[in-house]
Amino acid sequence: MNPSPTVLQKISHMYQQMSPSQQAIADVILHDPESSAFYNVAKMAREANVSESTVTRFATFIGYSGFPGMSRELQEMVRSRLTTGERFQLSRNATTVGQQAVLQHFEEDVHNLNLMMERIDLQAFERIVQLLLSAKRIGIVSSRSTLSLGMFFDFYLNLLNKDTLLFSGEPRTVDRIHRFGGDDVIVGIGFARYTRFSVDCLEVGKKRGARIIVITDYPSSPLCRYADEILYTPTGIASHMESFVAPLSLLTAILRSMSHQDSDKATSLLHDLEDAWNGLGIYVDSDK
C-alpha cells in the first residue's frame, strides 16, 4: 500500500494544472514551507499577491476541505522536521560564531535532503530508472555550476555500460544533439538561475522525439515544459552558492537503483573494468 502523498507532493504534481494565481500560491509554499505553514489566509494572500478567496480555493483544488486542513498538514510536516533536527543538538558544541556558521551549513544541507524526501515521487523515480536502463543513448544536459553534477552522472553511467553524451555548452558537443531520437533519453539538470543553453537543448531533444527527464528545483522551472518525467530537489541555502548535496544524493540513488536492477550484469562489467584498470595502472595501492 503506497503512503498518502504529502502536501508538497500534491502541490508539485498538480502545479501544471493550476491557474497563474494558484501557481503563485504554490511558489510561496514550495519556496519556503517552514514560514508558509504558519501563515493565515490573509498573510498567504499578501505573499502570493492574490485574493483571500483564491487562497481558499487553492486549498480545495489540491484536495483539502479548506485552508485550515492544508495549513495543519503543512504545520505537522514542519514540526516533525524540526523535532528530528533538534536531535542533532550540534549547536551546543559550537563555541564561536565561525563554528556555528559551519554547523549551520550542514544543517541546511540536512534540511534540503529532508525536503527532497518529502517531495519525491517514488513512482516517477522508478519510471526514470526504467527509461535510463532501456535507453539506446543517454544525453546529459548540464552547464555552468551544474556541470559537476552532469560529469558525475556521466562517469557512473559509463561504468554501467551506457552510451552517453554530455552537453555542457562546449561548442563541439552542441551539434551532437541531432543524433538523438525516439530510442534515446535526455536528462536535463538545472536549477535557478536556469541557463538558456539547457532550455534550448531540451527543446531540440523533445522535437526530435527523445524522452526528456528533468531534475530541477521547482515546478515553475522552464525545463519542466519539455519533461516527460520530473524529479524535484532543493538547492537553496543562505549563501550566493547553491548546495548540490540533495541533487547529488538523488543522482546517486538513481545510479544505485539502475545497478541493482541488473546486479549480475553490473558485477560482471565492473570485474572486466577492474582488470582493465589494473592493466593500465590507473590506481595506486594505498600502502605504496
Side-chain angles (χ1 to χ4, degrees):
M1 181 174 171
N2 294 326
S4 299
T6 68
V7 60
L8 297 182
Q9 288 173 332
K10 292 174 185 176
I11 292 171
S12 296
H13 294 169
M14 301 177 72
Y15 189 91
Q16 299 302 329
Q17 287 75 52
M18 293 179 186
S19 68
S21 294
Q22 291 173 327
Q23 288 181 346
I25 301 169
D27 289 341
V28 169
I29 296 172
L30 292 173
H31 286 216
D32 190 1
E34 283 77 12
S35 298
S36 60
F38 300 96
Y39 291 165
N40 58 25
V41 172
K43 173 68 171 174
M44 184 72 78
R46 286 196 300 273
E47 292 294 321
N49 196 27
V50 299
S51 67
E52 294 184 20
S53 60
T54 300
V55 173
T56 301
R57 288 194 297 271
F58 172 86
T60 304
F61 177 79
I62 63 172
Y64 296 92
S65 59
F67 181 82
M70 182 187 74
S71 182
R72 274 195 304 273
E73 184 167 328
L74 270 172
Q75 290 174 21
E76 288 170 7
M77 179 199 74
V78 170
R79 287 187 177 117
S80 174
R81 181 189 301 152
L82 291 175
T83 300
T84 302
E86 286 164 0
R87 290 190 217 130
F88 288 105
Q89 297 182 2
L90 290 174
S91 59
R92 67 183 181 183
N93 298 319
T95 59
T96 69
V97 173
Q99 290 175 346
Q100 291 172 356
V102 170
L103 295 178
Q104 179 63 33
H105 291 316
F106 295 147
E107 289 174 351
E108 287 171 346
D109 284 330
V110 171
H111 163 74
N112 281 343
L113 286 167
N114 284 331
L115 186 57
M116 180 178 68
M117 291 170 65
E118 288 160 2
R119 294 178 63 187
I120 194 166
D121 183 337
L122 293 176
Q123 285 71 41
F125 181 96
E126 182 57 32
R127 291 193 299 269
I128 285 170
V129 169
Q130 296 305 319
L131 277 175
L132 292 169
L133 285 170
S134 61
K136 179 181 177 181
R137 184 186 292 110
I138 299 172
I140 305 164
V141 177
S142 60
S143 63
R144 296 184 66 80
S145 62
T146 63
L147 179 57
S148 58
L149 295 171
M151 293 175 69
F152 170 85
F153 201 42
D154 177 63
F155 179 86
Y156 282 101
L157 284 173
N158 274 280
L159 291 189
L160 295 175
N161 209 30
K162 302 303 295 187
D163 182 9
T164 64
L165 276 173
L166 179 62
F167 298 100
S168 63
E170 200 278 323
R172 290 176 297 176
T173 67
V174 174
D175 292 340
R176 297 177 186 174
I177 201 165
H178 294 283
R179 300 179 185 179
F180 283 72
D183 295 329
D184 305 317
V185 170
I186 296 176
V187 180
I189 305 172
F191 310 100
R193 302 166 66 187
Y194 313 99
T195 65
R196 170 55 57 189
F197 170 80
S198 296
V199 174
D200 290 346
C201 277
L202 296 190
E203 181 179 14
V204 172
K206 187 75 169 179
K207 288 179 179 177
R208 296 194 61 80
R211 301 296 298 277
I212 306 296
I213 296 169
V214 165
I215 296 175
T216 192
D217 41 9
Y218 301 116
S220 55
S221 164
L223 280 65
C224 291
R225 69 176 68 112
Y226 304 108
D228 295 293
E229 298 288 354
I230 307 172
L231 289 175
Y232 298 106
T233 169
T235 63
I237 57 174
S239 169
H240 67 284
M241 298 172 62
E242 301 156 300
S243 168
F244 287 153
V245 170
L248 187 62
S249 179
L250 178 60
L251 292 173
T252 302
I254 291 171
L255 292 162
R256 287 176 176 171
S257 186
M258 290 176 68
S259 63
H260 291 164
Q261 294 278 340
D262 195 350
S263 58
D264 291 339
K265 182 178 178 181
T267 300
S268 176
L269 175 62
L270 289 172
H271 283 156
D272 290 343
L273 287 170
E274 192 67 42
D275 290 339
W277 295 334
N278 288 335
L280 294 169
I282 298 296
Y283 296 109
V284 177
D285 292 337
S286 58
D287 57 351
K288 292 184 179 179

